[in-house]
Amino acid sequence: MDRVTIEISPVPGRMLRLLDYPELTSSHKLVNKGIAVLKQYAPGIMRYLSLQRLLGHLPEYLIEVRAGNMTEADAREYIRAWMRRKRLRRLFYVILEMLILPFTAFVAVLPGPNVVFYGLFVLFYFHFKAFLSLSRINVNQLNISLVQE
C-alpha cells in the first residue's frame, strides 16, 4: 500500500500540507509517454495532476499525519474540514470548466491540434473525478496513523 504524508502545522492558523504522495502513473504506453513529457517540460502541472489523482483515490493509501501533540480524533476532524474545502473548490472548478469548454470549439478552426480543448478537458476530468471521490469518502474509514515527531 502506498503512503501519503500529511503535515498539520501547529496553532495558530492550522494549515494542512501534503508532504509526500505518489506521482501520476498509467499502465498505458501512450499515456506514460505523455506523463514523461509533462515531467520534463511542465513539472508543476505534473505535481498538480498527481495531487488531483491522489484526491480521487485517497482511501487506497496509508495516510501518515504529522500533527505534533494532536489527538487522532482532532486530526480526523481537521482532515474532514480540509476535504470539505477541497470538494467545494473542485465543484467550482468543474462548473467553471463546463462553462468554458464549449467556447474552445472556436479555437478548433485554427490549424494544428486543439491543445486548448484537450488541456481543459484533462483538467475537467481530473477535477470531476476528485470531486466525486471527495463526495464519497468517509474520513472515519481512512487509514490514518499519527506520527509523533
Side-chain angles (χ1 to χ4, degrees), residues 6 8 16 55 58 63 65 70-89 133-142 144:
I6 296 175
I8 300 176
L16 190 140
L55 291 175
L58 203 56
I63 303 169
V65 178
M70 184 182 285
T71 65
E72 184 176 337
D74 290 340
R76 284 186 186 275
E77 188 57 40
Y78 193 77
I79 291 172
R80 180 178 289 114
W82 175 76
M83 286 175 48
R84 189 177 319 119
R85 287 190 307 270
K86 291 290 184 184
R87 185 177 62 238
L88 287 174
R89 188 176 294 166
S133 179
L134 286 171
S135 298
R136 288 187 294 242
I137 293 174
N138 182 358
V139 176
N140 294 327
Q141 294 176 349
L142 292 177
I144 295 178

Side-chain angles (χ1 to χ4, degrees), residues 1-2 53 56-62 142-143:
M1 178 176 280
D2 286 333
R53 185 183 186 289
H57 295 89
L58 203 56
E60 298 172 10
Y61 297 102
L62 172 62
L142 292 177
N143 298 325

